[in-house]
Amino acid sequence: MIAEAIVSRLNLDQGSLAGGAVTERHLADLKGCFADERAYRAMLARDNPLLYRVSSLEPAHGEDQLHYGLGVLMPGKVGREYFLTKGHLHAWRPAAEVYVGLRGDGFMLLEDEASGESRLLPLRANTVVYVPGHTAHRTINTGREPLVYLGIYPAAAGHDYGALATRNFRKVLIEQDGQPVLLERSAVS
Ligand code: F6R
Ligand code: ZN
């Protein structure tokens, strides 16, 4: 049997994926993610802006199937730290993922779960990032426009936010003299 949602339209201007289930994350949903707690609380006291939206399609279920989602991450900063996604490990740790950059300018921050080693990789149009299994991943928008990307992952991957909620990523991407600079979290918080 051929799954029904086998073709879907992307609209990069609207950042939409037809038929996708939409999840929105606002600033209040990212408590504990930004290094500068004071800047976070001050911003939240003024406003609770939308940081990102993911439209996910799950055409079929089962361990040999794929799911995918269109992410739209807004531009902006909390203090000097660029807007970012929560970041996660896959609940099924071996699950890898492919990110396809479609629009905007940013990075993916990867962190190997076992060694804690970090990699910062560009994510923009015409760029594909392969996220290996057992690797925490977070998207960061360093540009002035929304960062739009597609993530394709095993249907069985799942999300594990809990492991990072307590310790967070070791590295932080901040703006310094107009440029993104990757620093140790301990150096900025
Ligand atoms: C799925 C995936 C992406 C993210 C999206 C939002 O495995 O990696 O679709 O879910 O970039 O980020 P999180 O899920 O960390 O809030
Ligand atoms: Zn993922």
Side-chain angles (χ1 to χ4, degrees):
M1 195 189 86
I2 295 175
E4 279 189 22
I6 209 158
V7 63
S8 180
R9 277 194 73 78
L10 287 175
N11 183 320
L12 297 191
D13 294 321
Q14 292 173 3
S16 63
L17 175 66
V22 177
T23 303
E24 292 193 333
R25 302 277 187 216
H26 292 78
L27 186 65
D29 300 313
L30 274 85
K31 192 169 174 339
C33 293
F34 293 95
D36 187 341
E37 264 290 323
R38 251 171 82 171
Y40 176 78
R41 279 199 300 270
M43 190 170 181
L44 196 55
R46 292 193 304 271
D47 195 12
N48 185 24
L50 175 72
L51 261 54
Y52 60 98
R53 184 189 314 119
V54 185
S55 309
S56 309
L57 269 180
E58 302 185 352
H61 294 273
E63 62 183 19
D64 47 1
Q65 302 297 326
L66 296 172
H67 291 172
Y68 58 100
L70 184 76
V72 181
L73 174 60
M74 301 307 163
K77 287 189 299 264
V78 173
R80 292 188 300 155
E81 190 174 4
Y82 299 98
F83 280 1
L84 41 72
T85 57
K86 281 181 146 181
H88 59 269
L89 285 148
H90 291 145
W92 179 43
R93 290 292 196 272
E97 180 163 1
V98 170
Y99 271 69
V100 182
L102 298 171
R103 196 168 178 165
D105 209 357
F107 291 90
M108 290 202 69
L109 178 60
L110 309 188
E111 188 176 296
D112 180 73
E113 187 178 26
S115 66
E117 182 199 350
S118 304
R119 294 286 301 274
L120 186 69
L121 303 166
L123 186 67
R124 57 178 73 103
N126 307 320
T127 307
V128 179
V129 175
Y130 182 80
V131 180
H134 302 274
T135 305
H137 45 289
R138 155 176 284 173
T139 311
I140 304 171
N141 187 346
T142 54
R144 290 163 191 267
E145 310 285 327
L147 177 65
V148 185
Y149 57 90
L150 193 69
I152 307 161
Y153 46 94
H159 292 84
D160 178 358
Y161 295 103
L164 288 158
T166 44
R167 61 173 171 78
N168 214 326
F169 285 73
R170 293 185 183 191
K171 305 261 184 174
V172 174
L173 194 65
I174 63 157
E175 187 186 65
Q176 212 166 270
D177 302 325
Q179 296 297 321
V181 178
L182 192 65
L183 298 176
E184 290 290 334
R185 179 171 301 278
S186 51
V188 290
S189 52

